[in-house]
């Protein structure tokens, strides 16, 4: 595999925003590192939060945090990966040494906080990525394309981690609020866990899609036949006060509310209700390395089918504008 010495990529700086650079170096892997040839990289609302809404993930790095590709070169002492392997990046990019990483909760590694692929550290909006810690890679099954694998590293991984943390099981009665990109994948995941899934969604086309994805009941607003305190877990993919309040109303005693969306910087809750019914509120962030392994298996088995369209990486700026204007559904992934 001939590797060029320079490449193009999209670099974020606080001063200039996201700009195309045509002379980025292709870095050579040192001991313990490897070089990844980017196969596909997905565009996400979190990118918009950084570029336009002040989400501070550092300065001067290549963006793109939903990454899949082929190992192009390995440094000395790298075991477990060889040139040609098909892999995907675990966004939180854990240090591998701390108690969180050792305890299979590397998504909340404090050492790597804000040093995430494409969000603080270099990511995939380029042709080649130097991976400093190959422990943050998982293998992509042969029947999973790079486009689908890249889209799965956040839009499937995030709802998977939330559903797994809430201990969803075949006896669970789950409410999903919002059936957009992540919500649609969440429906498929919760059905794969055996749960009964009820979806609340304002947009008709998203309600129709939710039914196709296997939701048991789909509503624009919950009917009177569904009484408060009915659901074992409520996943809020919107997370504004109104949707959170609805989740607290309809979650059962000892039930779990998981705000997955980032619709509001702060939310309030009814403390006496929370206490008297021992309701839990779970924070959830992205997913762990083990979770992404599980996700790749679910996708490979056809149990979760993310909606993906692809474009050339040079088209990224126009798709960022489209995403800002909600001009498309599903995930767009880019091929350098
Ligand atoms: C969300 C918010 C901030 C950083 C990272 C994330 C991940 O879920 C990637 O979208
Ligand atoms: Zn993302
Ligand atoms: Zn760590």
């Amino acid at each position: 595999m001939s590797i060029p010495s320079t490449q193009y990529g999209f670099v974020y700086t606080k001063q200039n925003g996201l700009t195309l650079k045509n002379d980025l170096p292709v870095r050579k892997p040192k001991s313990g590192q490897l070089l990844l040839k980017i196969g596909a990289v997905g565009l996400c609302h979190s990118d918009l939060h950084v570029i336009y809404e002040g989400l501070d993930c550092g300065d001067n790095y290549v963006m793109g945090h939903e990454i899949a590709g082929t190992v192009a070169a390995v440094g000395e002492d790298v075991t477990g990966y060889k040139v040609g392997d098909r892999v995907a990046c675990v966004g939180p990019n854990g240090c591998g040494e701390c108690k969180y990483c050792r305890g299979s909760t590397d998504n909340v590694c404090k050492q790597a906080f804000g040093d995430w692929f494409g969000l603080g550290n270099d990511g995939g909006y380029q042709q080649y990525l130097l991976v400093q810690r190959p422990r943050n890679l998982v293998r992509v099954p042969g029947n999973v394309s790079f486009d689908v694998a890249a889209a799965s590293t956040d839009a499937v991984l995030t709802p998977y981690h939330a559903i797994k943390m809430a201990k969803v099981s075949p006896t669970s009665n789950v409410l999903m609020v919002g059936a957009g990109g992540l919500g649609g994948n969440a429906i498929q995941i919760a059905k794969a866990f055996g749960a009964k899934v009820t979806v609340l969604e304002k947009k008709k086309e998203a309600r129709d899609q939710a039914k196709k994805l296997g939701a048991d009941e789909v509503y624009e607003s919950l009917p009177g036949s569904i009484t408060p305190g009915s659901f074992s877990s409520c996943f809020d993919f919107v997370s504004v006060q109104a949707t959170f309040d609805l989740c607290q109303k309809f979650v059962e005693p000892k039930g779990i509310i998981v705000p997955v969306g980032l619709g509001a910087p702060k939310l309030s809750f009814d403390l006496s209700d929370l206490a008297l019914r021992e309701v839990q509120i779970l924070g959830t962030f992205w997913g762990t390395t083990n979770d992404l392994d599980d996700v790749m298996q679910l996708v490979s088995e056809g149990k979760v089918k993310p909606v993906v369209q692809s474009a050339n990486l040079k088209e990224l700026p126009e798709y960022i504008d489209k995403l800002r204007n909600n001009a498309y559904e599903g995930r767009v992934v880019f091929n350098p």
Side-chain angles (χ1 to χ4, degrees):
M1 189 180 286
S2 69
I3 300 170
S5 57
T6 60
Q7 61 175 331
Y8 78 90
F10 290 87
V11 175
Y12 171 77
T13 63
K14 290 180 179 176
Q15 184 176 356
N16 300 318
L18 193 67
T19 50
L20 173 63
K21 300 286 185 190
N22 288 303
D23 56 353
L24 293 178
V26 175
R27 299 167 62 187
K28 291 191 186 324
K30 294 177 181 154
S31 173
Q33 303 176 337
L34 66 75
L35 189 68
L36 185 65
K37 185 176 190 309
I38 302 297
V41 52
L43 173 59
C44 175
H45 278 96
S46 300
D47 293 321
L48 304 186
H49 295 325
V50 169
I51 301 166
Y52 300 106
E53 295 157 27
L55 175 64
D56 187 351
C57 288
D59 202 2
N60 194 25
Y61 57 88
V62 176
M63 289 189 83
H65 59 269
E66 304 179 357
I67 306 162
T70 309
V71 175
V74 294
E76 285 174 28
D77 308 323
V78 170
T79 56
Y81 291 103
K82 65 184 184 309
V83 171
D85 284 352
R86 302 175 77 245
V87 296
C89 295
V90 183
N93 194 24
C95 74
E97 308 294 331
C98 71
K99 67 176 183 178
Y100 303 101
C101 291
R102 291 198 311 271
S104 299
T105 57
D106 53 2
N107 61 321
V108 292
C109 169
K110 287 200 286 187
Q111 302 269 18
F113 188 88
D115 192 37
W116 306 312
F117 283 113
L119 291 164
N121 201 330
D122 280 346
Y125 289 155
Q126 59 183 331
Q127 296 163 284
Y128 291 89
L129 167 65
L130 182 75
V131 176
Q132 291 145 332
R133 296 185 289 275
R135 67 155 322 265
N136 293 305
L137 299 173
V138 300
R139 293 183 184 285
V140 175
N143 68 336
V144 178
S145 69
F146 284 145
D147 288 358
V148 170
S152 301
T153 63
D154 187 6
V156 184
L157 175 60
T158 296
Y160 178 86
H161 178 68
I163 288 166
K164 189 173 170 189
M165 276 210 299
K167 298 184 172 46
V168 171
S169 74
T171 59
S172 299
N173 182 23
V174 167
L175 175 66
M176 302 277 183
V177 179
L182 272 64
N185 292 332
I187 293 166
Q188 299 173 78
I189 296 163
K191 292 308 296 176
F193 276 58
K196 179 185 176 188
V197 177
T198 299
V199 170
L200 192 57
E201 166 58 54
K202 291 291 178 213
K203 293 180 190 164
K204 183 175 182 325
E205 59 274 15
R207 289 201 299 275
D208 294 345
Q209 177 73 355
K211 289 190 188 102
K212 287 181 191 153
L213 294 173
D216 297 285
E217 297 178 21
V218 181
Y219 302 104
E220 184 176 5
S221 56
L222 291 181
S225 56
I226 296 182
T227 54
S230 296
F231 296 98
S232 49
S233 46
C234 298
F235 296 86
D236 187 351
F237 291 95
V238 182
S239 300
V240 296
Q241 195 62 56
T243 53
F244 180 87
D245 291 346
L246 182 139
C247 289
Q248 185 164 5
K249 177 178 177 183
F250 283 92
V251 74
E252 68 183 11
K254 301 295 287 183
I256 298 173
I257 303 167
V258 189
V260 185
L262 298 171
K266 287 184 184 293
L267 293 171
S268 64
F269 56 83
D270 180 331
L271 178 56
S272 58
D273 170 74
L274 196 86
L276 293 177
R277 297 193 307 127
E278 294 193 339
V279 167
Q280 296 176 60
I281 302 170
L282 275 191
T284 185
F285 177 65
W286 219 333
T288 70
T289 306
N290 291 344
D291 290 337
L292 190 55
D293 257 337
D294 294 348
V295 161
M296 290 298 164
Q297 190 60 29
L298 281 176
V299 172
S300 176
E301 292 170 2
K303 291 177 179 166
V304 180
K305 298 183 176 73
V307 176
V308 176
Q309 56 180 296
S310 63
N312 183 277
L313 183 54
K314 291 280 180 71
E315 298 176 88
L316 174 65
E318 67 186 81
Y319 278 89
I320 286 176
D321 287 340
K322 285 180 181 175
L323 184 60
R324 284 187 84 187
N325 298 308
N326 292 312
Y328 64 80
E329 295 297 326
R331 219 54 165 196
V332 175
V333 296
F334 299 88
N335 313 124

